[in-house]
C-alpha cells in the first residue's frame, strides 16, 4: 500500500483513475509522469521524464498480464 516508486518529486497534477481494474494514481508535472498502483498483493510504478504521454503509460498498464 506504500509508494514504491522512489520518486519524491512534487507534482502539480495528481489524479486517481481506474485502469485495467486497478485504482491508479497519475502524477504529472511539465510532461513528466509518475504512475503508481497496487493490484492484489503487488505494487507497481512507472516513470517517464519525457517522451511518453499519459495515454502511452495507460496502454502499458492495460497490456500487463
Amino acid at each position: 500500500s506504500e509508494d514504491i516508486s522512489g520518486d519524491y518529486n512534487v507534482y502539480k497534477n495528481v489524479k486517481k483513475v481506474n485502469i485495467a481494474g486497478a485504482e491508479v494514481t497519475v502524477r504529472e508535472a511539465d510532461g513528466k509522469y509518475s504512475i503508481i498502483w497496487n493490484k492484489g498483493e503487488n505494487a507497481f510504478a512507472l516513470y517517464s521524464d519525457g517522451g511518453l504521454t499519459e495515454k502511452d503509460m495507460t496502454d502499458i498498464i492495460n497490456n500487463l498480464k
Side-chain angles (χ1 to χ4, degrees):
S1 65
E2 295 181 30
D3 179 353
I4 64 157
S5 69
D7 178 10
Y8 302 105
N9 293 307
V10 176
Y11 288 90
K12 296 180 205 174
N13 304 304
V14 178
K15 64 182 177 181
K16 293 196 182 279
V17 296
N18 188 303
I19 302 172
E23 183 179 86
V24 178
T25 302
V26 178
R27 304 179 292 188
E28 184 274 332
D30 302 321
K32 297 178 182 180
Y33 288 92
S34 178
I35 298 179
I36 56 174
W37 73 100
N38 294 305
K39 193 164 187 178
E41 294 184 16
N42 299 305
F44 302 90
L46 287 175
Y47 175 79
S48 173
D49 64 359
L52 291 177
T53 65
E54 181 178 343
K55 183 185 178 324
D56 293 333
M57 296 183 81
T58 299
D59 289 345
I60 291 169
I61 295 169
N62 280 321
N63 286 302
L64 291 175
K65 302 286 185 219

